Amino acid sequence: MAAGMALALKDASSPTGPLSPEPSRIGAAAPSAPASPPKPGDELSEKKQKARIQDIINRSLQKTDTGATKHSADPLVNIAFSADEEVVINRGRFSWFSAVMMCVFVITGFASLILMMLSLRNTSVTMISEEISYIDAPNPPWDLPPWGYVKQPNDAPSRKIGKLFRYAMPSFMLFYAIFCASFGLFTTAYFCSELLVQDMGVNRVKNLGEVINKGVDVYLFRAVPITIILMSTISSIVYFVSDLNFTIAMVCGGATCLCCTNMGINMNFEGGTRLTHALNYDLRGSINFAIRSGAIGGLSAHSLALLGMVTVWMVDQKANSLLGFAAGTSIIAFYTRIAGGIFAKGCDIGSDFVSTMLGEDVDDYNMDNMDELRRAHNLHDLDMDGEEDEAFEERQHIVDPNAYIDEADMGFITRQEAQLRAKIEAEMENTLKSMHPVNYLDAIGENIADIGGTSSDLFETMCVTLATAVIIGGKAHEVPYFGTALPFCIISSGTLGCSVVSYYVWCHEKHTSNRIRRSLQLNLLCVMIFVQLSVVFACYLQWQVYHTINYDTFWNYSMITLLGLCAPEACAAICEYFTSVNYAPVSWIAKDANLGMIQVVLRGLGQGFASAGLPSVVNLIVQILAFQWEGFYGLVLLTCASQACTGWQATLAAFGAAVNNANRYVHLTTVNEMAHHRANVCASIGTTTSHNGKCIAGQNAFFATTCLLGALMADKYTKAGENFKNTTGQEFSEFTRAGLLASIVFTMLFLANTLTSCITMAKSVVSHCKDNNDVVPRKDKVFPATHIRPLANLVSFASIECFRLTISPMIQTFGAPLVIGQLFGFKGLLMMLSGGNSVAFSLNMFLINSGQAWDAARKYILFGMLKDDHGNVIGAESEVYDTLGIGEQIGGPLEDLCGPALNNFIKFVAVTSFVTREVYDMSPAKSWPWGLVQIAVNFALVAFFKWGLNITTKYLEAAFKKAKDRMEYEEGTAMLRELEARDRQIEERMQERGGPKKDDEEVQLF
């Protein structure tokens, strides 16, 4: 890893004296002897001083025997580590599984390349799909390569609406998709291997990470079985209303999404301690390490979704199975997003209440405690003159992520200060040991929600989009070979481009967060250019070589792709302006926080409203243009293009979760200002990219739902014997008006249900922690063992509770299309989907932008960016920081739960509508009584799982406890337990009072 010396030690006898690192041993091999330092008092030129710094860095990074002991000592004397003792750096581990998977994907990639070449000569595997046509059209010129001859059913000379027809599947493009997906998964496996082998840092960082990782393991251990049971139950029901292939594809989709999500979560937490350690060295290495850590969750979702859809289509050769695969991912994504959000924000709010009751600091970064430690050791006033030292004031400014830092000027301290810092960090470690385990829940939940929720959301959207692309491109396009090939070309090229740019991001130690953000956007621009060129080339071949499209179509396809590539970034840029610490709107909230909480809340809501309108306008314009140019197929291309760069955008979203997690670790384990500066730079970027990931996920969900709505309408009208292109304008009847109103009602009910579940979760956490010795640190163990078992008990309870609270919103979502489709007919259902899609997107933008604005305003202070009239930093110990904390608590559930959950809500409603489309009649004349029955059943199930299940569980627990107490009373066990407890109390009293006689103690007690 490239490294730069964060802070070194000056000789205590001379403020301008030489560096004096202490040589130490790495494993079994000793580093080369250090160069002889000049005598104290010698004047060193700036050039020599920098050369000496580089020499120390080079020696600290000197490679030694990797087969030595498990732990090694780092020779770099750094402000983050002890100045007088050997620093033990815990090494990573090699992953054989990652190495094997790299080999597998290399073989898969080469095999797909060979098959690509064979398909150009029409000598590869023959793949023919038979579907029902949505349009009347002549058969394409099948005699032209690389399609090959396809015999039509009954030798039909042309395609007819509602009749079966056959077309050659785009074999070249499918093998190209497999190659791109294999390269993406190879990249993911390589990044996993690289991540795990990195050093985990000093003991206090490793121990903190171990506690949190154990909590994550418990959550996943509880989540996976429940998710499998849920998936099996729904699949069994679907089997009776669909075919076997659909059900198998559904199970495969759910399993693939679940594996991808869990891998991303695990690797993100594995990288937390390693990234924290890297932040003590240099910024460039830390940024690239964090990007690769994020790519494991983000890029794998993009690649696995593409590979899964291609594999299912090649095996079954039916578009219906692709929809089954997408339905499986929809179930897992919904459950992951809602359950993870309820767990994260419910535990966050609940842990703050518990911390307040215990008298602990509710701030995630423990800034009050750090400030007290600094003051207690006079770190701010080393010369003891009663005023803050000038050097200390200067170091308070370097935590600003946009500050220009010269490490040669800021990286030196005296040995006396280094010893004080070592004492402070030792006390910080003691603080970690004394913290209640509930304070670790937020770190667990926030990353589960951000990584698991965003990854599964984008995975689902990708699958829904590709399924719709095959349906529309195959059944409603005049050239089905090209109509299905072009969407795969767009997304596959995006996967390949995102994989390549994940390997490196250009940045420098002195770059600010704004500068690095531009480098990330430069990588994205490279992907966009590559995708656009790929599409132009593919369309040019069809226009000039195969003559299957004309010039106007070539131009329309190219322009729609360009609009799709640019639209997500336009929306993200708009939202970023209102929610980033680098722009004025967030600074307004922070600067006006001294006016009170009302001012903070109103300004945050106002910015949320303003930021929600402009993205809606962008989406409206691009969708109108795409539909006018190429109809529903134009919307398909627009949606595919908007998701072409999703692999990189999901990587950046996961990058944000990783660096925010590491930023918390850094602030809890060290007082190294340079490490704080690097962590704040990364967190400033990560906060923005993580939020942009949610915005782009919302826009992609909006586009994907619109396309699926078009496929649903085309399928329903085709089976009714009508041309769907002549029915795009729906009449505004009483049923369509009712469907439009129902979209608002069901959306609001879903938000209310989800938000109240979050509040219930917070209450449950507080209640469970109250007077519960099973969740307090153990006194008979040494940290981190003191916290592992209590945190495991707490996470186990919270995970089961959040899963119970998720069932109610899921039943409500599943019942929405059944109620409306039968109560108001198919046309009412269409209007509900259309209106609900628009309502969900606008509310999503409003909720996540409002919540992020409050969160960013607080980080604006944490990053040292707020200054008073004299230029002094207003830090996290100020009153305005606490005021903004209330806004953050309000906005947390809106940003991380309610807003993103609307994506999964509307997609789940759309997928359910398509799967159950045969149930609905055009007119509700015969089905409306069943709609009333559905309302009653839906209400009863929601009420039972929201309230009745909890009441039933408590009643059963009380009954079992009463029976157990009665049995113990009859057997005398209860009396013996009371006597034992009384004896333990007596012994504890004796130890506290210096060992008085037991008889005297018994007299005092009784």
Side-chain angles (χ1 to χ4, degrees), residues 214-286:
K214 290 295 183 181
V216 175
D217 292 340
V218 172
Y219 177 87
L220 296 179
F221 180 77
R222 296 291 184 184
V224 172
I226 294 177
T227 309
I228 292 175
I229 293 173
L230 176 68
M231 191 70 200
S232 302
T233 303
I234 297 178
S235 299
S236 301
I237 298 173
V238 170
Y239 174 73
F240 292 101
V241 297
S242 186
D243 56 41
L244 179 61
N245 289 350
F246 184 93
T247 306
I248 294 175
M250 183 175 172
V251 173
C252 292
T256 307
C257 184
L258 183 62
C259 291
C260 176
T261 301
N262 288 351
M263 180 181 66
I265 293 173
N266 268 319
M267 288 298 101
N268 178 266
F269 282 99
E270 286 283 353
T273 56
R274 293 164 170 84
L275 179 56
T276 302
H277 179 62
L279 287 167
N280 287 288
Y281 290 94
D282 76 324
L283 183 61
R284 182 176 61 181
S286 301

Side-chain angles (χ1 to χ4, degrees), residues 272-517:
T273 56
R274 293 164 170 84
L275 179 56
T276 302
H277 179 62
L279 287 167
N280 287 288
Y281 290 94
D282 76 324
L283 183 61
R284 182 176 61 181
S286 301
I287 289 289
N288 281 280
F289 178 81
I291 287 291
R292 297 182 178 192
S293 176
I296 296 172
L299 187 59
S300 64
H302 203 266
S303 303
L304 266 179
L306 177 61
L307 182 61
M309 294 295 285
V310 171
T311 304
V312 169
W313 195 28
M314 292 175 66
V315 170
D316 189 57
Q317 301 179 359
K318 296 287 185 182
N320 192 51
S321 295
L322 294 181
L323 187 64
F325 191 91
T329 63
S330 184
I331 295 170
I332 299 300
F334 184 94
Y335 208 74
T336 302
R337 170 71 82 181
I338 308 304
I342 291 174
F343 177 89
K345 305 322 297 180
C347 290
D348 183 17
I349 298 172
S351 64
D352 288 344
F353 280 115
V354 174
S355 298
T356 302
M357 291 190 300
L358 296 175
E360 295 183 2
D361 188 4
V362 299
D363 179 28
D364 297 335
Y365 296 86
N366 215 10
M367 297 301 294
D368 291 342
N369 178 66
M370 179 182 290
D371 186 64
E372 290 176 4
L373 291 175
R374 283 172 169 169
R375 301 288 175 181
H377 290 83
N378 292 317
L379 189 61
H380 64 294
D381 186 18
L382 294 176
D383 55 9
M384 307 297 290
D385 61 354
E387 297 180 358
E388 284 191 353
D389 297 338
E390 183 178 351
F392 180 82
E393 291 181 359
E394 290 179 355
R395 289 196 178 97
Q396 300 312 297
H397 289 273
I398 71 174
V399 297
D400 186 346
N402 288 321
Y404 180 81
I405 306 301
D406 190 346
E407 197 173 359
D409 296 333
M410 305 301 300
F412 301 95
I413 58 175
T414 64
R415 182 172 298 278
Q416 174 192 4
E417 184 174 352
Q419 292 172 349
L420 289 177
R421 289 170 179 265
K423 292 180 181 179
I424 293 175
E425 290 174 354
E427 294 189 25
M428 292 174 70
E429 187 171 2
N430 293 330
T431 301
L432 295 177
K433 299 176 183 178
S434 62
M435 287 172 57
H436 194 283
V438 75
N439 292 298
Y440 293 94
L441 282 179
D442 182 45
I444 297 172
E446 183 175 344
N447 283 270
I448 287 175
D450 286 345
I451 301 294
T454 303
S455 177
S456 60
D457 189 359
L458 294 172
F459 193 107
E460 175 199 8
T461 305
M462 175 79 70
C463 294
V464 171
T465 300
L466 286 176
T468 308
V470 172
I471 293 172
I472 298 294
K475 300 181 180 184
H477 197 280
E478 294 183 353
V479 187
Y481 179 96
F482 182 59
T484 54
L486 189 56
F488 281 99
C489 174
I490 295 172
I491 291 181
S492 301
S493 300
T495 302
L496 184 60
C498 292
S499 302
V500 172
V501 300
S502 297
Y503 280 89
Y504 183 74
V505 173
W506 182 74
C507 62
H508 190 272
E509 179 71 27
K510 296 180 181 180
H511 282 179
T512 64
S513 61
N514 277 331
R515 182 73 176 272
I516 299 173
R517 179 77 180 108

Side-chain angles (χ1 to χ4, degrees), residues 386-710:
E387 297 180 358
E388 284 191 353
D389 297 338
E390 183 178 351
F392 180 82
E393 291 181 359
E394 290 179 355
R395 289 196 178 97
Q396 300 312 297
H397 289 273
I398 71 174
V399 297
D400 186 346
N402 288 321
Y404 180 81
I405 306 301
D406 190 346
E407 197 173 359
D409 296 333
M410 305 301 300
F412 301 95
I413 58 175
T414 64
R415 182 172 298 278
Q416 174 192 4
E417 184 174 352
Q419 292 172 349
L420 289 177
R421 289 170 179 265
K423 292 180 181 179
I424 293 175
E425 290 174 354
E427 294 189 25
M428 292 174 70
E429 187 171 2
N430 293 330
T431 301
L432 295 177
K433 299 176 183 178
S434 62
M435 287 172 57
H436 194 283
V438 75
N439 292 298
Y440 293 94
L441 282 179
D442 182 45
I444 297 172
E446 183 175 344
N447 283 270
I448 287 175
D450 286 345
I451 301 294
T454 303
S455 177
S456 60
D457 189 359
L458 294 172
F459 193 107
E460 175 199 8
T461 305
M462 175 79 70
C463 294
V464 171
T465 300
L466 286 176
T468 308
V470 172
I471 293 172
I472 298 294
K475 300 181 180 184
H477 197 280
E478 294 183 353
V479 187
Y481 179 96
F482 182 59
T484 54
L486 189 56
F488 281 99
C489 174
I490 295 172
I491 291 181
S492 301
S493 300
T495 302
L496 184 60
C498 292
S499 302
V500 172
V501 300
S502 297
Y503 280 89
Y504 183 74
V505 173
W506 182 74
C507 62
H508 190 272
E509 179 71 27
K510 296 180 181 180
H511 282 179
T512 64
S513 61
N514 277 331
R515 182 73 176 272
I516 299 173
R517 179 77 180 108
R518 299 296 171 261
S519 296
L520 298 177
Q521 291 174 333
L522 178 63
N523 283 25
L524 176 64
L525 179 62
C526 293
V527 179
M528 294 170 64
I529 292 174
F530 175 69
V531 173
Q532 184 66 34
L533 291 176
S534 300
V535 171
V536 171
F537 178 72
C539 293
Y540 180 83
L541 287 178
Q542 298 297 320
W543 170 40
Q544 290 287 5
V545 178
Y546 300 122
H547 307 290
T548 55
I549 61 175
N550 55 32
Y551 172 76
D552 292 336
T553 304
F554 162 76
W555 177 257
N556 290 342
Y557 287 176
S558 301
M559 290 304 300
I560 290 172
T561 303
L562 181 61
L563 289 176
L565 291 170
C566 296
E569 285 310 304
C571 291
I574 294 169
C575 295
E576 183 176 340
Y577 174 76
F578 288 97
T579 59
S580 173
V581 296
N582 297 318
Y583 296 101
V586 168
S587 67
W588 297 338
I589 298 178
K591 291 175 182 178
D592 293 344
N594 60 339
L595 300 178
M597 190 62 235
I598 296 178
Q599 177 70 18
V600 171
V601 172
L602 291 180
R603 186 175 285 278
L605 292 175
Q607 291 182 192
F609 282 119
S611 61
L614 294 177
S616 300
V617 173
V618 171
N619 286 350
L620 180 66
I621 293 174
V622 296
Q623 282 202 337
I624 289 176
L625 292 175
F627 188 81
Q628 285 185 343
W629 288 339
E630 292 297 330
F632 280 110
Y633 187 73
L635 295 179
V636 167
L637 293 182
L638 182 72
T639 306
C640 291
S642 72
Q643 294 179 53
C645 304
T646 299
W648 179 245
Q649 291 154 345
T651 294
L652 295 183
F655 159 84
V659 295
N660 281 324
N661 195 29
N663 190 34
R664 182 184 288 110
Y665 285 8
V666 167
H667 282 82
L668 290 174
T669 57
T670 182
V671 289
N672 178 2
E673 287 90 352
M674 285 302 299
H676 285 192
H677 168 72
R678 298 187 190 103
N680 287 346
V681 169
C682 293
S684 174
I685 303 167
T687 300
T688 299
T689 58
S690 180
H691 177 256
N692 286 353
K694 296 172 187 175
C695 296
I696 292 172
Q699 186 184 47
N700 289 340
F702 177 76
F703 285 163
T705 304
T706 303
C707 289
L708 189 57
L709 177 63

